[in-house]
Amino acid sequence: DGAGKTTTLRMLAGVLRPSSGSALIHGVDVASDPEGAKPFIAYMSQQFGLYADLTVLENIHFYADLYRVPRTQRPARLERLFAFSNLGPFGDRLAGNLSGGMKQKLSLCCALIHHPRVLLLDEPTFGVDPISRRDLWLILHEMVAEGVTVVVSTPYLDEAERCDRVVFLREGRVLA
């Protein structure tokens, strides 16, 4: 904790401006043009950031609207998202009434609705039960197999072992 993981992801997502340096996402420098990079990025924060008073479907449609996903493409995308998240039967349930693991899956569905090129996940399994944690990693491996770049922050070394590349941070600096 306190190593700079969340701050780094927020800078990559264009939410925070870095004090120096640059990062290219799909050829766009997020430091100088954060808005230009946002269509290629999905950012899932550590805390549940969706609307608790909206249903599962309403949250997903809200994000589809934000990312300007054409209505004609939504049924197929929803079918795919529900296939891997198992949230289909809960479409009418308020997001605030979901379990922790289901909330994380809903957050991931909202992040993936626009088919991002880069998925930024800030401790996505924090507070999630072991089965949902395993399911989430299976989903992430599917995304990687489809060409999505996934950047995950985690304090758990067993999760870091699942990654192709690992960076250790301390006070915002790369240790290894």
Side-chain angles (χ1 to χ4, degrees):
D1 291 337
K5 300 181 302 290
T6 296
T7 300
T8 299
L9 287 181
R10 287 182 178 170
M11 287 188 288
L12 290 172
V15 176
L16 290 178
R17 231 183 235 292
S19 56
S20 64
S22 64
L24 296 178
I25 294 188
H26 199 64
V28 179
D29 186 342
V30 294
S32 63
D33 187 13
E35 293 304 312
K38 285 182 182 176
F40 307 109
I41 300 170
Y43 172 62
M44 187 173 128
S45 67
Q46 181 180 5
Q47 304 298 324
F48 182 67
L50 302 179
Y51 296 94
D53 57 340
L54 295 181
T55 66
V56 167
L57 276 170
E58 288 169 338
N59 268 288
I60 294 171
H61 282 294
F62 176 74
Y63 275 82
D65 288 342
L66 282 179
Y67 284 110
R68 297 184 177 135
V69 175
R71 293 197 182 274
T72 56
Q73 294 178 12
R74 293 183 190 188
R77 290 185 187 197
L78 274 171
E79 183 179 336
R80 178 142 196 289
L81 292 171
F82 284 162
F84 75 69
S85 69
N86 297 314
L87 286 175
F90 306 98
D92 293 329
R93 185 175 292 184
L94 291 177
N97 294 337
L98 298 173
S99 69
M102 291 174 77
K103 285 179 179 177
Q104 290 296 78
K105 289 178 185 178
L106 175 57
S107 293
L108 189 57
C109 286
C110 290
L112 295 174
I113 190 68
H114 71 293
H115 289 222
R117 304 243 180 184
V118 177
L119 181 58
L120 304 170
L121 305 174
D122 191 7
E123 298 190 28
T125 62
F126 179 77
V128 173
D129 65 272
I131 293 170
S132 294
R133 187 177 178 204
R134 183 201 65 214
D135 290 347
L136 190 64
W137 276 102
L138 291 172
I139 293 166
L140 296 181
H141 284 289
E142 279 184 33
M143 298 293 105
V144 170
E146 293 176 8
V148 175
T149 298
V150 179
V151 179
V152 179
S153 75
T154 182
Y156 307 123
L157 291 180
D158 64 313
E159 288 190 351
E161 287 180 324
R162 297 171 181 254
C163 300
D164 296 328
R165 295 184 191 128
V166 177
V167 173
F168 288 93
L169 294 177
R170 180 175 173 198
E171 296 178 359
R173 303 221 184 271
V174 175
L175 290 179

